Amino acid sequence: MSLKPLNNIWIRRQQCPCGDWKCYIRFEGNESSCLVTKSELDSSTTTTTTTTATGTGSSLYDNNTVFMPYVGQIFTTDDDAFEYYSTFARKSGFSIRKARSTESQNLGVYRRDFVCYRSGFNQPRKKAHVEHPRERKSVRCGCDAKLYLTKEVVDGVTHWFVSQFSNVHNHELLEDDQVRLLPAYRKIHQSDQDRILLLSKAGFPVNRIVKLLELEKGVQAGHLPFIEKDVRNFVRACKKSVQENDAFLSEKRESDTLELLESCKALAERDMDFAYDCTSDENQKVENLAWAFGDSVGAYSLFGDVVVFDTTYRSIPYGLLLGVFFGIDNNGKAILVGCVLLQDESCLSFTWALQTFVRFMRGRHPQTILTDMDTGLKDAIAREMPNTHHVVFMWHIVSKLASWFSQTLGSHYDEFRAGFEMFCRAGNIDEFEQQWNLLVTRFGLVPDRHAALLYSCRASWSPCYIREHFVAQTMTPEFNLSIDSFFKRIVAGPTCMQLLLEEVSAAASLARQIPSRFTYPSLKTCMPMEDQARGILTPYAFSVLQNELVLSVQYAVSEMANGPYIVHHFKKMERECCVIWNPENEEIQCSCKEFEHSGILCRHTLRVLTVKNCFLIPEQYFLLRWRQESPHVAAENQNGQGIGDDCAQTFHSLTETLLTESMICKDRLDYANQELSLLIDRVRNVAPANCLYQP
């Protein structure tokens, strides 16, 4: 038996962050279900739900639509007839098999005979020349139940009709809990085959594999759509193929990663800005590989304040984890800034990935890095980026809740989920801590290891903890879709490791070429600050600010005696916010921390500015990253006008250094703007006789 070839080398990463290697997240469409671990298997009892999994797969017919066949009944194909008769047989307590077929030169096969599984008699076999031959009892007893089909072609249309039918059996029919054990109805589907092979390679005996599958599916003991004998036969048949396949994949991984490394070397010779690095083991086999394109390094110089490190996908055939570093541009789109292939998910591998990434980006660390929940990655970030805020995407947390708690809580899971969403809206840390303690105590989750994991990482994912961390607009559904569309171009179809570099480059290039779906909306408030923002911000950033500006009119402002302003919704649907406005320095702050979180002013601050007759937004609240034009774009345009490569590269490096140093504080930025204005005037006065570029 040969293993079915994989249609795609990339699958979603399934390892559970709880640290137990036998516990993993299972993705099925948009749903995920947690699979129990070996420790749970040892401690659990056979008390499970009474749901019976038939496992027969999708069918055109079910027990409610199938009645006893009759002579003259018409089917479109003989396969439809067999499926109909098979469904009827299962409902009645027996199974069927295909018997004789008759064909002619003109019609091909024109007759099909389907009979009861106990039809006919077993023919005696030649006894093997062994000392103790096995005597197998036959189930065939000459049963006469049958259904014969005949093909008929009328006006060019083919039909199959029942020419003979008998439902007379000379044996007892089986009950439903017995008929499902007949060989015809025992099937191991592809998803179960993959799980069985994984557990078998991990050293689980067959009886434990069966028990584990029963617990995962929530069925009673012995109610799987197959029996232990089927699992044993399947594992035995696959064992040789698995060994051969592992040896082949090991050799293929070595050769393909070497080819990928050679592709990186060739690209580095053509593009001086392309960077790559790798590590090797004692046998000089490639372990980890990282690379970054030249334009990615340039984009990072402007949009490197927030980085997303996505480790969603890994390759089972190659045994490698794919990590992709993304930034977010001023149009809210994901931009590629680097890629890594890691041999495992250890803290050591993640440490190397982060070190290499920072080196590619010329030593600049991001303000914030967003990842999935992973203890090894968390430790690596704390070690290599101590001044960088680490944030875990909330949707990664939410996608795991059902996996972790649905089986434990049963019918109470929906109630728990509602409570979880409620305390995620806690306004401050003390309120969060109080509601968390009440929630885990109420549902008996105090000793649960997944609940403990969530609580230990609360400073990375809870909104009240991460509110002061700058994440731009990376936590919006639109940005998540932008990343998904990037990965779909890489992992959606069959691929190989040698082409990964080209596929990533093509996906990044296509993402840059796709125009932003945002256009400037028409003005909605006629307020001067709205018109001001429209002339400074990109369409994406302006649409976000405009929405806040439109909603701000629904808020009332109360000035306190000591200076702050209390802002609340006129229906009191939200908690109050405290806004501090300093007109002398034109500085404004809100307790909701929206500007610190996204870089765009919130509705509360905009409302206070309006009430205080401030017709324009202070300049410092238009971040450079959200403005229409960027130095990075200008540098690219200049490179495209034919200026010498060496001069362009030198000038590009100088402008990046100037930008980095100027963004440290407002005084530096003001000084740079002033000096640049003088420099531009001087450059314009230079005679064009010795210009590098002649039109």
Side-chain angles (χ1 to χ4, degrees), residues 267 291 293 336 500-510 512:
L267 183 57
W291 68 91
F293 299 98
L336 175 72
L500 180 61
L501 187 65
E502 298 177 10
E503 292 171 343
V504 171
S505 178
S509 177
L510 182 60
R512 289 193 301 269

Side-chain angles (χ1 to χ4, degrees), residues 652-662:
H652 184 58
S653 178
L654 289 173
T655 56
E656 284 185 353
T657 304
L658 177 63
L659 175 64
T660 302
E661 296 296 329
S662 300

Side-chain angles (χ1 to χ4, degrees), residues 78 100-113 149-152 158 160:
D78 54 338
R100 183 181 58 178
S101 62
T102 309
E103 61 180 313
S104 68
Q105 187 174 0
N106 295 331
L107 293 176
V109 177
Y110 66 90
R111 174 170 169 168
R112 292 281 193 190
D113 295 352
L149 287 175
T150 301
K151 182 165 70 174
E152 184 179 44
T158 301
W160 292 81

Side-chain angles (χ1 to χ4, degrees), residues 25 89 105 112 370 392 415 417 427 437 471 475 530-531 550 566 586 593 628 631:
I25 305 299
Q105 187 174 0
R112 292 281 193 190
L370 295 97
V392 175
E415 189 177 355
R417 175 68 179 269
N437 292 332
V471 299
M475 303 191 76
E530 183 184 15
D531 187 57
V550 170
I566 302 301
E586 292 189 329
K593 303 295 183 181
Q628 297 172 6

Side-chain angles (χ1 to χ4, degrees), residues 479-669:
F479 182 77
N480 188 30
L481 291 175
S482 182
I483 289 182
D484 286 344
S485 63
F486 178 90
F487 276 114
K488 284 179 181 178
R489 301 184 189 108
I490 300 176
V491 306
T495 185
C496 59
M497 192 63 68
Q498 306 99 305
L499 301 178
L500 180 61
L501 187 65
E502 298 177 10
E503 292 171 343
V504 171
S505 178
S509 177
L510 182 60
R512 289 193 301 269
Q513 294 172 9
I514 295 176
S516 175
R517 66 183 183 87
F518 288 93
T519 58
Y520 282 111
S522 58
L523 299 180
K524 299 179 180 179
T525 66
C526 298
M527 298 171 66
M529 63 177 64
E530 183 184 15
D531 187 57
Q532 174 201 17
R534 193 178 191 275
I536 298 176
L537 301 176
T538 63
Y540 171 79
F542 172 70
S543 65
V544 177
L545 181 66
Q546 185 187 53
N547 182 63
E548 295 295 313
L549 195 58
V550 170
L551 294 176
S552 67
V553 299
Q554 301 179 13
Y555 288 78
V557 178
S558 302
E559 186 173 0
M560 306 299 291
N562 55 352
Y565 300 86
I566 302 301
V567 183
H568 61 87
H569 194 271
F570 78 103
K571 288 186 178 179
K572 296 188 179 295
M573 298 172 60
E574 305 170 356
R575 67 179 68 250
E576 297 177 341
C577 288
C578 178
V579 177
I580 300 176
W581 163 241
N582 186 342
E584 296 180 359
N585 299 328
E586 292 189 329
E587 294 180 352
I588 191 165
Q589 294 179 342
C590 181
S591 60
C592 76
K593 303 295 183 181
E594 179 61 29
F595 181 76
E596 292 82 353
H597 195 61
S598 67
I600 297 178
L601 287 177
C602 65
R603 61 198 68 173
H604 315 110
T605 55
L606 293 172
R607 183 57 176 165
V608 171
L609 290 175
T610 303
V611 170
K612 300 306 293 183
N613 296 325
C614 295
F615 298 101
L616 297 179
I617 297 174
E619 190 72 16
Q620 66 265 30
Y621 294 105
F622 293 112
L623 296 187
L624 184 63
R625 67 145 20 260
W626 292 128
R627 298 196 178 208
Q628 297 172 6
E629 295 297 331
S630 69
H632 175 63
V633 175
E636 285 185 344
N637 292 338
Q638 288 181 350
N639 288 338
Q641 291 177 352
I643 297 179
D645 291 340
D646 293 338
C647 295
Q649 184 174 356
T650 302
F651 185 78
H652 184 58
S653 178
L654 289 173
T655 56
E656 284 185 353
T657 304
L658 177 63
L659 175 64
T660 302
E661 296 296 329
S662 300
M663 291 297 293
I664 294 178
C665 66
K666 187 176 183 298
D667 291 339
R668 286 191 179 188
L669 183 61

Side-chain angles (χ1 to χ4, degrees), residues 18 223 234 484 607:
C18 69
H223 279 71
F234 173 73
D484 286 344
R607 183 57 176 165

Side-chain angles (χ1 to χ4, degrees), residues 398 401-403 405-406 409-418 443:
V398 173
L401 291 181
S403 307
F405 304 116
S406 61
L409 299 178
S411 59
H412 298 289
Y413 169 72
D414 290 338
E415 189 177 355
F416 165 81
R417 175 68 179 269
F443 291 96

Side-chain angles (χ1 to χ4, degrees), residues 22 255 284 303 349 363 369 398 421 423 449 498 649 678 687:
K22 298 178 290 298
S255 62
Q284 300 304 310
F303 303 118
S349 294
I369 184 169
V398 173
E421 294 177 352
F423 80 72
R449 71 174 185 278
Q498 306 99 305
Q649 184 174 356
L678 297 175

